[in-house]
């Protein structure tokens, strides 16, 4: 089933869940992608003439047949591949938008989820073209998803042709000869992570900041300020980088996520700035106590993907 980005495809899955049953709850494990909550809570459907919605519930009982889990595989923000809490595979939705070689080691035994969502956004970086797709085992769910997509008259043919030509191009002999798109992507990302690794050293901790996803890696750098201080502020005011606070991902503000799919020139600046910060002293000073939702102005370089704060 195709849809408007991974987001549109996820919306179509949620619509199918709301249409095919009552009182369904959606569970995710923290830290989780910040958009899911709103997506779940905005899903409504009529069932037998009755308005039916979904509930976003982090404490939903995984054993109940009404509980469904979104498992981001690998995860945004921390790159981990987690086992689902829900053991019934028909009740797990895998969000696989980062399951590409540039972000993770591809499993020897490929994942075989009942519902697996992918997207051109993270595959080749064509987020603005808005194409997502899902592999769905249950034909009834797939039909409901298509019904949802059809309500907005489907996915733009221009979008489909654009991504078709992008995929053709990355599979071309020319790209293959130059060692392949995914080899290039994974060596670029690994090289970036190696540099962060070397700044943090053996222990993975510098100036009381821990490099949490040093093993898992992924599409982001996920940091934790060990003293429980506001890590987003530390990065903003000391490293001049605007990250996303862990609060958005259902964990505390001692975490911060740094965009790592950015342009090389931005990554180089980030690495220089982080090195300068590490060389500037041994401990974080006072003045970084946690202030939830603090949106202070700092001298920062934006490392976003230029498509708003949703990613
Ligand atoms: C885990 C996850 N799922 C889905 C999406 C949405 O992707 P798309 O641009 O394909 O809608 C994102 C975007 O950042 C994401 O991080």
């Amino acid at each position: 089933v195709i849809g408007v980005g991974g987001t549109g495809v996820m919306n179509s899955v949620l619509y199918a869940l709301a249409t095919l049953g009552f009182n369904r709850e959606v569970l995710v494990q923290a830290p989780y992608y910040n958009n899911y909550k709103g997506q779940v809570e905005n899903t409504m459907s009529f069932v037998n003439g009755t308005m039916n919605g979904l509930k976003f519930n982090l404490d939903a009982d995984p054993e109940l047949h009404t509980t469904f889990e979104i498992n981001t595989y690998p995860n945004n923000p921390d790159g981990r591949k987690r086992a689902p809490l829900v053991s019934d595979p028909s009740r797990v939705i895998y969000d696989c938008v980062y399951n590409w070689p540039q972000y993770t080691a591809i499993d020897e035994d490929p994942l075989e989820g009942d519902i697996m969502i992918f997207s051109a956004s993270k595959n080749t970086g064509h987020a603005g073209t808005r194409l997502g797709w899902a592999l769905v085992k249950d034909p009834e769910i797939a039909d409901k998803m298509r019904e949802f997509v059809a309500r907005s008259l489907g996915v733009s043919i221009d979008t489909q042709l654009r991504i078709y030509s992008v995929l053709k191009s990355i599979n071309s002999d020319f790209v293959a000869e130059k060692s392949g798109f995914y080899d290039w992507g994974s060596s670029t990302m690994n090289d970036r992570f190696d540099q962060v690794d070397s700044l943090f050293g053996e222990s993975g901790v510098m100036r009381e900041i821990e490099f949490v996803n040093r093993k898992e890696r992924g599409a982001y750098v996920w940091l934790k300020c060990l003293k429980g201080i506001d890590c987003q502020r530390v990065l903003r005011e000391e490293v001049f980088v605007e990250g996303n606070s862990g609060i958005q991902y259902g964990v505390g503000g001692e975490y911060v996520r740094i965009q790592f799919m950015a342009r090389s020139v931005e990554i180089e600046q980030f690495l220089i700035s982080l090195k300068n910060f590490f060389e500037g002293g041994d401990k974080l000073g006072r003045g970084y106590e946690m202030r939830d939702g603090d949106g202070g102005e700092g001298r920062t370089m934006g490392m976003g993907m230029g498509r708003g704060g949703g990613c």
Side-chain angles (χ1 to χ4, degrees), residues 5-7 33 36 72 76 95 97-98 119 121-122 130 220 307 310-311:
T7 306
Y33 172 49
Y36 294 143
T72 313
N76 171 9
D95 184 341
V97 299
Y98 297 101
S119 160
S121 300
K122 313 297 192 251
R130 312 303 303 131
Y220 306 96
R307 198 167 58 81
C311 304

Side-chain angles (χ1 to χ4, degrees), residues 24-45:
R24 292 183 157 177
E25 302 199 322
V26 178
L27 165 75
V28 292
Q29 301 176 53
Y32 53 81
Y33 172 49
N34 48 345
N35 213 24
Y36 294 143
K37 185 171 186 292
Q39 287 183 277
V40 170
E41 287 173 348
N42 285 318
T43 303
M44 290 288 166
S45 174

Side-chain angles (χ1 to χ4, degrees), residues 65-124:
H65 74 281
T66 45
T67 299
F68 289 75
E69 179 171 355
I70 300 176
N71 189 1
T72 313
Y73 190 95
N75 194 31
N76 171 9
D78 63 5
R80 280 167 63 205
K81 288 174 169 168
R82 303 175 293 191
L85 298 176
V86 169
S87 53
D88 170 1
S90 71
R91 289 189 284 114
V92 181
I93 303 145
Y94 283 96
D95 184 341
C96 301
V97 299
Y98 297 101
N99 203 3
W100 302 104
Q102 56 273 43
Y103 311 115
T104 189
I106 298 302
D107 302 343
E108 273 179 28
D109 267 343
L111 186 68
E112 262 227 46
D114 283 29
I115 302 175
M116 299 194 295
I117 298 176
F118 299 88
S119 160
S121 300
K122 313 297 192 251
N123 179 9
T124 56

